[in-house]
Amino acid sequence: MKVLMFGWEFPPHISGGLGTACYGLLKGMAQFNHEIIFVVPKLWGDEDPLADFVSASDVEIDYREKRFKEIWKNLTYLEVSSFLIPYLGPEEFARFTDKALHDSTDVDESIFSNKFSFSGKYGKDLIMEVSRYALVAGQIAKNKDHDIIHAHDWLSFPAGIAAKKISGKPLVVHVHATEFDRSGENVNERVFEIEKSGMEAADKIIAVSYLTKRTIIKKYGIPESKVTVIHNAVLDVSIIKSNAHKKVPEKIVTFLGRITFQKGPEYFIEAANKVLKKDNNVRFVMAGSGDLLNRMIDRVAELRIATKFHFTGFLKGKDVDQMFAISDVYVMPSVSEPFGISPLEAVRHNTPVIISKQSGVAEVLTNAIKIDFWDIDAMADAIFALLHYQGISTMFRSCGTEELKKMKWEHVAEKIFALYDQTLTVTHP
């Protein structure tokens, strides 16, 4: 089987969980005898060779073909310079663009050029890149032999639709998050319409959790029979034995993620304040960046807990591993989390976790304390219990280790290949 897969980012050049999930999936798929063609807007040259990688920036388009003109006609409504960024808020975006992270490779060619250059970043011309990426996808679908198309999240949905129009092959879209997860009820209508169009055009939809499936059915009006839940996994199920040592005598409780509405950082701070009133021998860490960072810093100052609360900024690679390793408790108080891989990474570091019931990972991780994101009293009690009652902490550590063994990406890949077979049987009997 040949799979034409469209993504937006791939490690080590990532801004969020989407790239990490794609990496894990490709690693799992590598265990099977199938050919994967993985397309990204831009290749950097240091990607792990897990698939036949294609850089959209290197593809020439024969735009004179009638089929491509029709695709472009349907895409032009997208091409409006936009400050829409899936992972960053307005304040962080300003800093992001000041540092020129969307750099000199931003799209500035005419639509009638033979090639487009993509930054591969979440920059000011994101929507323009999404639409042109879709046009290039049609050319790739024409050039590359394939049996099925797989598109990850809204950024790649127009590409998946265009590829399907050119090749006539079935389309599977993979929903890692929806606009309702990112923005609550204040959704960006343009992103919502792109998501809805992708789901409607798809032959099958993969949701990363039952929580996400319910959102797809309720908010996007998609038939339940079209949506299959396949949970994410963890890159490596082995327990990490770290030599990292904390340099403070207090216990450490960690929040690690984007500091945005979706992740519930304010509830973590309020719970921290309650814990510190009962036990001052604790330090709280908020690792990450986001549009609510300044507000969270102000709230910590208002509560007068700044001497016990630390903001590290965005962490990656070994710094993330070290943070997990020195933490006594990891908390993920997400308001809406389609899945949430970070608690699984914490378990790998033998760190007990507290997760919100409003997360997809709560469906598969049994050995974790689960609370409603808004219940700061329950969150504070759970933190206090894990810090002070060794028996509870030890139980969650040992049981969590056993649970990880069931969460391998090759198991996810196996389920997805089975879904491909089912889809091909129905669409191309």
Side-chain angles (χ1 to χ4, degrees), residues 353-365:
V353 300
I354 300 168
I355 57 179
S356 75
K357 294 177 183 177
Q358 292 74 26
S359 65
V361 73
E363 298 170 8
V364 295
L365 189 58

Side-chain angles (χ1 to χ4, degrees), residues 203-256:
D203 296 277
K204 286 289 183 181
I205 300 169
I206 297 173
V208 295
S209 64
Y210 288 99
L211 179 71
T212 302
K213 179 175 181 177
R214 288 192 292 271
T215 300
I216 291 171
I217 295 167
K218 181 180 178 181
K219 301 291 188 179
Y220 296 84
I222 303 298
E224 182 178 358
S225 59
K226 196 174 181 178
V227 189
T228 299
V229 174
I230 302 179
H231 293 103
N232 283 337
V234 64
L235 281 173
D236 187 344
V237 298
S238 60
I239 297 301
I240 297 174
K241 298 186 185 299
S242 174
N243 295 321
H245 297 287
K246 57 185 178 184
K247 299 178 181 178
V248 293
E250 298 98 332
K251 297 290 181 71
I252 295 176
V253 180
T254 299
F255 168 108
L256 191 150

